[in-house]
mmCIF file of all heavy atoms in Angstrom:
data_model
loop_
_atom_site.group_PDB
_atom_site.id
_atom_site.type_symbol
_atom_site.label_atom_id
_atom_site.label_comp_id
_atom_site.label_asym_id
_atom_site.label_seq_id
_atom_site.Cartn_x
_atom_site.Cartn_y
_atom_site.Cartn_z
ATOM 1 N N ILE A 265 234.222 209.110 133.793
ATOM 2 C CA ILE A 265 233.249 209.893 134.381
ATOM 3 C C ILE A 265 231.942 209.040 134.249
ATOM 4 O O ILE A 265 231.464 208.609 133.215
ATOM 5 C CB ILE A 265 232.987 211.164 133.410
ATOM 6 C CG1 ILE A 265 234.281 212.003 133.288
ATOM 7 C CG2 ILE A 265 231.860 212.027 133.867
ATOM 8 C CD1 ILE A 265 234.284 213.111 132.313
ATOM 9 N N ILE A 287 232.094 208.437 123.359
ATOM 10 C CA ILE A 287 233.147 209.064 124.147
ATOM 11 C C ILE A 287 233.878 208.096 125.047
ATOM 12 O O ILE A 287 233.124 207.530 126.016
ATOM 13 C CB ILE A 287 232.587 210.418 124.978
ATOM 14 C CG1 ILE A 287 232.046 211.274 123.878
ATOM 15 C CG2 ILE A 287 233.636 210.945 125.885
ATOM 16 C CD1 ILE A 287 231.379 212.577 124.585
ATOM 17 N N ASN A 289 235.974 208.208 127.749
ATOM 18 C CA ASN A 289 236.023 208.311 129.134
ATOM 19 C C ASN A 289 234.661 208.590 129.814
ATOM 20 O O ASN A 289 234.779 209.119 130.922
ATOM 21 C CB ASN A 289 237.092 209.476 129.549
ATOM 22 C CG ASN A 289 236.656 210.796 129.152
ATOM 23 O OD1 ASN A 289 235.935 210.972 128.127
ATOM 24 N ND2 ASN A 289 237.004 211.839 129.897
ATOM 25 N N LEU A 313 228.268 213.053 137.107
ATOM 26 C CA LEU A 313 227.694 214.030 136.070
ATOM 27 C C LEU A 313 226.277 213.702 135.853
ATOM 28 O O LEU A 313 225.910 212.498 135.733
ATOM 29 C CB LEU A 313 228.515 214.016 134.850
ATOM 30 C CG LEU A 313 228.086 214.840 133.684
ATOM 31 C CD1 LEU A 313 228.134 216.318 133.966
ATOM 32 C CD2 LEU A 313 228.851 214.565 132.418
ATOM 33 N N LYS A 337 228.209 217.068 139.167
ATOM 34 C CA LYS A 337 228.351 218.192 138.151
ATOM 35 C C LYS A 337 227.102 217.998 137.254
ATOM 36 O O LYS A 337 226.544 216.908 137.150
ATOM 37 C CB LYS A 337 229.671 218.051 137.532
ATOM 38 C CG LYS A 337 230.852 218.310 138.406
ATOM 39 C CD LYS A 337 232.177 218.095 137.531
ATOM 40 C CE LYS A 337 233.408 218.080 138.508
ATOM 41 N NZ LYS A 337 233.524 219.472 139.212
ATOM 42 N N VAL A 338 226.753 219.137 136.654
ATOM 43 C CA VAL A 338 225.614 219.152 135.709
ATOM 44 C C VAL A 338 225.916 219.801 134.353
ATOM 45 O O VAL A 338 226.526 220.820 134.394
ATOM 46 C CB VAL A 338 224.373 219.743 136.456
ATOM 47 C CG1 VAL A 338 224.597 221.267 136.676
ATOM 48 C CG2 VAL A 338 223.066 219.541 135.633
ATOM 49 N N ILE A 339 225.401 219.093 133.271
ATOM 50 C CA ILE A 339 225.378 219.787 131.999
ATOM 51 C C ILE A 339 223.841 219.884 131.652
ATOM 52 O O ILE A 339 223.212 218.846 131.546
ATOM 53 C CB ILE A 339 226.097 218.882 130.942
ATOM 54 C CG1 ILE A 339 227.630 219.043 131.294
ATOM 55 C CG2 ILE A 339 225.771 219.505 129.576
ATOM 56 C CD1 ILE A 339 228.423 218.090 130.279
ATOM 57 N N PHE A 352 224.534 228.858 134.884
ATOM 58 C CA PHE A 352 225.916 229.106 135.235
ATOM 59 C C PHE A 352 225.976 229.723 136.593
ATOM 60 O O PHE A 352 227.054 229.579 137.234
ATOM 61 C CB PHE A 352 226.517 229.973 134.151
ATOM 62 C CG PHE A 352 226.733 229.311 132.888
ATOM 63 C CD1 PHE A 352 226.086 229.524 131.746
ATOM 64 C CD2 PHE A 352 227.575 228.204 132.863
ATOM 65 C CE1 PHE A 352 226.273 228.934 130.533
ATOM 66 C CE2 PHE A 352 227.775 227.434 131.630
ATOM 67 C CZ PHE A 352 227.183 227.797 130.509
ATOM 68 N N ASN A 355 226.757 227.004 138.942
ATOM 69 C CA ASN A 355 228.138 226.317 138.480
ATOM 70 C C ASN A 355 227.862 225.143 137.466
ATOM 71 O O ASN A 355 228.461 224.132 137.674
ATOM 72 C CB ASN A 355 228.847 225.844 139.789
ATOM 73 C CG ASN A 355 229.209 227.011 140.619
ATOM 74 O OD1 ASN A 355 229.639 227.989 140.119
ATOM 75 N ND2 ASN A 355 229.143 226.839 141.885
ATOM 76 N N ALA A 356 226.940 225.350 136.647
ATOM 77 C CA ALA A 356 226.727 224.280 135.586
ATOM 78 C C ALA A 356 228.128 224.168 134.756
ATOM 79 O O ALA A 356 228.718 225.198 134.501
ATOM 80 C CB ALA A 356 225.587 224.536 134.622
ATOM 81 N N VAL A 357 228.403 222.897 134.427
ATOM 82 C CA VAL A 357 229.538 222.724 133.537
ATOM 83 C C VAL A 357 229.337 223.322 132.142
ATOM 84 O O VAL A 357 230.255 224.044 131.590
ATOM 85 C CB VAL A 357 229.963 221.188 133.396
ATOM 86 C CG1 VAL A 357 230.963 220.985 132.429
ATOM 87 C CG2 VAL A 357 230.297 220.636 134.675
ATOM 88 N N ASP A 358 228.159 223.069 131.661
ATOM 89 C CA ASP A 358 227.845 223.679 130.307
ATOM 90 C C ASP A 358 226.341 223.658 130.134
ATOM 91 O O ASP A 358 225.578 223.222 130.959
ATOM 92 C CB ASP A 358 228.458 222.815 129.147
ATOM 93 C CG ASP A 358 228.850 223.712 127.921
ATOM 94 O OD1 ASP A 358 228.167 224.722 127.714
ATOM 95 O OD2 ASP A 358 229.776 223.357 127.232
ATOM 96 N N TYR A 359 225.943 224.326 129.024
ATOM 97 C CA TYR A 359 224.475 224.486 128.757
ATOM 98 C C TYR A 359 224.318 224.256 127.322
ATOM 99 O O TYR A 359 224.698 224.943 126.372
ATOM 100 C CB TYR A 359 224.222 226.025 129.120
ATOM 101 C CG TYR A 359 222.617 226.373 129.068
ATOM 102 C CD1 TYR A 359 221.927 226.298 130.247
ATOM 103 C CD2 TYR A 359 222.088 226.750 127.822
ATOM 104 C CE1 TYR A 359 220.591 226.629 130.239
ATOM 105 C CE2 TYR A 359 220.709 227.171 127.876
ATOM 106 C CZ TYR A 359 219.981 227.066 128.998
ATOM 107 O OH TYR A 359 218.680 227.449 128.977
ATOM 108 N N LEU A 360 223.668 223.100 127.044
ATOM 109 C CA LEU A 360 223.511 222.608 125.616
ATOM 110 C C LEU A 360 222.091 222.955 125.101
ATOM 111 O O LEU A 360 221.198 222.475 125.765
ATOM 112 C CB LEU A 360 223.773 221.037 125.545
ATOM 113 C CG LEU A 360 225.235 220.633 125.763
ATOM 114 C CD1 LEU A 360 225.272 219.087 125.737
ATOM 115 C CD2 LEU A 360 226.256 221.318 125.036
ATOM 116 N N GLU A 367 229.697 217.136 118.249
ATOM 117 C CA GLU A 367 230.857 217.858 118.606
ATOM 118 C C GLU A 367 230.675 218.794 119.765
ATOM 119 O O GLU A 367 231.476 218.978 120.609
ATOM 120 C CB GLU A 367 231.243 218.705 117.305
ATOM 121 C CG GLU A 367 231.862 217.872 116.172
ATOM 122 C CD GLU A 367 230.767 217.032 115.491
ATOM 123 O OE1 GLU A 367 229.576 217.438 115.523
ATOM 124 O OE2 GLU A 367 231.123 215.981 114.849
ATOM 125 N N ARG A 368 229.445 219.389 119.815
ATOM 126 C CA ARG A 368 229.138 220.340 120.864
ATOM 127 C C ARG A 368 228.947 219.520 122.262
ATOM 128 O O ARG A 368 229.489 219.900 123.300
ATOM 129 C CB ARG A 368 227.791 221.016 120.647
ATOM 130 C CG ARG A 368 227.461 222.038 121.599
ATOM 131 C CD ARG A 368 228.399 223.246 121.753
ATOM 132 N NE ARG A 368 228.044 224.104 122.807
ATOM 133 C CZ ARG A 368 228.424 224.058 124.040
ATOM 134 N NH1 ARG A 368 229.236 223.048 124.358
ATOM 135 N NH2 ARG A 368 228.083 224.953 125.063
ATOM 136 N N PHE A 369 228.335 218.295 122.146
ATOM 137 C CA PHE A 369 228.254 217.459 123.328
ATOM 138 C C PHE A 369 229.616 216.985 123.790
ATOM 139 O O PHE A 369 229.942 217.116 125.001
ATOM 140 C CB PHE A 369 227.503 216.284 122.904
ATOM 141 C CG PHE A 369 227.167 215.186 123.953
ATOM 142 C CD1 PHE A 369 226.118 215.349 124.742
ATOM 143 C CD2 PHE A 369 228.007 214.074 124.158
ATOM 144 C CE1 PHE A 369 225.873 214.413 125.884
ATOM 145 C CE2 PHE A 369 227.878 213.181 125.127
ATOM 146 C CZ PHE A 369 226.727 213.269 125.938
ATOM 147 N N GLN A 370 230.477 216.665 122.909
ATOM 148 C CA GLN A 370 231.896 216.225 123.283
ATOM 149 C C GLN A 370 232.596 217.426 123.898
ATOM 150 O O GLN A 370 233.405 217.188 124.919
ATOM 151 C CB GLN A 370 232.524 215.731 121.985
ATOM 152 C CG GLN A 370 233.854 215.156 122.224
ATOM 153 C CD GLN A 370 234.482 214.576 121.004
ATOM 154 O OE1 GLN A 370 234.327 215.178 119.836
ATOM 155 N NE2 GLN A 370 235.180 213.476 121.049
ATOM 156 N N GLU A 371 232.431 218.618 123.392
ATOM 157 C CA GLU A 371 233.035 219.715 123.948
ATOM 158 C C GLU A 371 232.657 219.981 125.402
ATOM 159 O O GLU A 371 233.457 220.237 126.381
ATOM 160 C CB GLU A 371 232.743 221.016 123.144
ATOM 161 C CG GLU A 371 233.345 222.273 123.687
ATOM 162 C CD GLU A 371 232.762 223.530 122.915
ATOM 163 O OE1 GLU A 371 232.358 223.311 121.843
ATOM 164 O OE2 GLU A 371 232.810 224.554 123.559
ATOM 165 N N ALA A 372 231.318 219.797 125.700
ATOM 166 C CA ALA A 372 230.794 220.022 127.047
ATOM 167 C C ALA A 372 231.456 218.940 128.048
ATOM 168 O O ALA A 372 231.843 219.285 129.089
ATOM 169 C CB ALA A 372 229.304 219.866 127.017
ATOM 170 N N VAL A 373 231.355 217.660 127.536
ATOM 171 C CA VAL A 373 232.019 216.622 128.420
ATOM 172 C C VAL A 373 233.467 216.911 128.641
ATOM 173 O O VAL A 373 233.869 216.511 129.756
ATOM 174 C CB VAL A 373 231.780 215.238 127.800
ATOM 175 C CG1 VAL A 373 232.436 214.154 128.571
ATOM 176 C CG2 VAL A 373 230.232 214.963 127.657
ATOM 177 N N GLY A 374 234.155 217.415 127.700
ATOM 178 C CA GLY A 374 235.592 217.775 127.923
ATOM 179 C C GLY A 374 235.873 218.702 129.055
ATOM 180 O O GLY A 374 237.009 218.800 129.496
ATOM 181 N N LYS A 375 234.820 219.453 129.383
ATOM 182 C CA LYS A 375 235.056 220.514 130.495
ATOM 183 C C LYS A 375 234.876 219.835 131.881
ATOM 184 O O LYS A 375 235.177 220.501 132.771
ATOM 185 C CB LYS A 375 233.935 221.583 130.326
ATOM 186 C CG LYS A 375 234.030 222.440 129.109
ATOM 187 C CD LYS A 375 233.011 223.291 128.924
ATOM 188 C CE LYS A 375 233.011 224.220 127.737
ATOM 189 N NZ LYS A 375 231.977 225.194 127.610
ATOM 190 N N VAL A 376 234.497 218.640 131.975
ATOM 191 C CA VAL A 376 234.177 217.946 133.258
ATOM 192 C C VAL A 376 235.604 217.414 133.635
ATOM 193 O O VAL A 376 236.072 216.596 133.100
ATOM 194 C CB VAL A 376 233.196 216.805 133.033
ATOM 195 C CG1 VAL A 376 233.003 216.132 134.441
ATOM 196 C CG2 VAL A 376 231.876 217.355 132.570
ATOM 197 N N LYS A 377 235.961 217.819 134.921
ATOM 198 C CA LYS A 377 237.302 217.360 135.500
ATOM 199 C C LYS A 377 236.925 216.561 136.751
ATOM 200 O O LYS A 377 236.267 217.141 137.679
ATOM 201 C CB LYS A 377 238.095 218.564 135.812
ATOM 202 C CG LYS A 377 238.454 219.491 134.714
ATOM 203 C CD LYS A 377 239.270 218.827 133.535
ATOM 204 C CE LYS A 377 239.552 219.825 132.489
ATOM 205 N NZ LYS A 377 240.071 219.069 131.303
ATOM 206 N N ILE A 378 237.155 215.351 136.737
ATOM 207 C CA ILE A 378 236.844 214.453 137.856
ATOM 208 C C ILE A 378 238.179 214.051 138.560
ATOM 209 O O ILE A 378 239.061 213.466 137.870
ATOM 210 C CB ILE A 378 236.056 213.229 137.419
ATOM 211 C CG1 ILE A 378 234.796 213.687 136.764
ATOM 212 C CG2 ILE A 378 235.784 212.351 138.560
ATOM 213 C CD1 ILE A 378 233.836 214.425 137.559
#
Side-chain angles (χ1 to χ4, degrees):
I265 300 167
I287 298 179
N289 68 328
L313 174 67
K337 298 179 187 297
V338 64
I339 294 175
F352 289 114
N355 298 318
V357 172
D358 211 332
Y359 189 93
L360 298 180
E367 288 73 24
R368 183 68 185 87
F369 181 87
Q370 188 176 36
E371 177 190 340
V373 173
K375 296 177 182 178
V376 180
K377 306 297 181 188
I378 302 298

